[in-house]
């Protein structure tokens, strides 16, 4: 082994030995003790699709919370924390769960006018951990005349 190769191997060994694995590091292989609070960030709908096609594409991201299709009491102990989203529109009495984790809620065929969308993080047992409201206006888009 050359001197340079030995030096690189020794440096790699020292770096690896000096880098402890902390349970606080987010990984799917180790449980996390004292996980930080989950956070939901919701942006306004993308302007282009809303103006041109009346399609509301609402970007979101979560921190310290994974969106996964897992439900029930047995899934509540998953670490790092996981769950799904509850989405409701215009204070209607129904909502739906989004467990896809796509990073956006897509709404089509909303009538023109003001709308309010509530997006909530929920545990696998549907306990709401927090949410955000986004309001926007769907423009009236006329059909093309020939």
């Amino acid at each position: 082994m050359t001197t340079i190769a030995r030096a690189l191997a020794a440096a790699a060994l020292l770096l690896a030995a000096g880098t402890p694995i902390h349970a606080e590091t987010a990984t799917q292989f180790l449980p996390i003790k004292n996980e930080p609070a989950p956070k939901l960030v919701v942006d306004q709908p993308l302007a282009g699709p809303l103006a041109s096609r009346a399609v509301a594409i609402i970007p979101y991201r979560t921190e310290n919370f994974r969106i996964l299709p897992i439900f029930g009491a047995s899934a509540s102990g998953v670490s790092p924390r996981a769950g799904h989203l509850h989405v409701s529109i215009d204070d209607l009495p129904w909502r739906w769960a989004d467990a896809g984790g796509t990073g956006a809620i897509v709404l089509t065929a909303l009538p023109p006018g003001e709308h309010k969308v509530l997006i909530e993080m929920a545990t696998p047992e549907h306990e709401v951990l927090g949410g955000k409201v986004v309001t926007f206006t769907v423009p009236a888009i006329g059909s093309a005349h020939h």
Side-chain angles (χ1 to χ4, degrees):
M1 198 184 260
T2 68
T3 305
I4 294 175
R6 278 191 217 139
L8 288 173
L13 182 61
L14 287 173
L15 282 174
T19 307
I21 297 174
H22 296 287
E24 291 80 21
T25 303
T27 174
Q28 60 191 4
F29 303 109
L30 298 172
I32 298 174
K33 296 178 182 177
N34 303 319
E35 288 185 66
K39 182 178 178 184
L40 175 65
V41 177
V42 178
D43 294 329
Q44 285 296 115
L46 300 178
L50 189 60
S52 65
R53 300 180 315 205
V55 173
I57 300 174
I58 305 169
Y60 71 84
R61 77 180 194 304
T62 60
E63 296 174 8
N64 308 312
F65 189 84
R66 297 175 300 152
I67 305 296
L68 295 174
I70 59 174
F71 297 92
S74 62
S76 290
V78 170
S79 178
R81 184 184 296 113
H84 57 278
L85 299 177
H86 288 170
V87 182
S88 58
I89 301 173
D90 296 333
D91 296 320
L92 292 170
W94 52 267
R95 63 183 175 205
W96 73 91
D98 179 358
T102 62
I105 301 296
V106 180
L107 304 170
T108 64
L110 289 173
E114 290 288 320
H115 293 281
K116 177 173 84 171
V117 176
L118 172 62
I119 302 171
E120 300 172 304
M121 292 182 300
T123 69
E125 295 183 87
H126 303 284
E127 175 190 348
V128 173
L129 301 174
K132 299 289 182 180
V133 172
V134 62
T135 58
F136 56 93
T137 302
V138 173
I141 298 182
S143 59
H145 297 303
H146 296 285

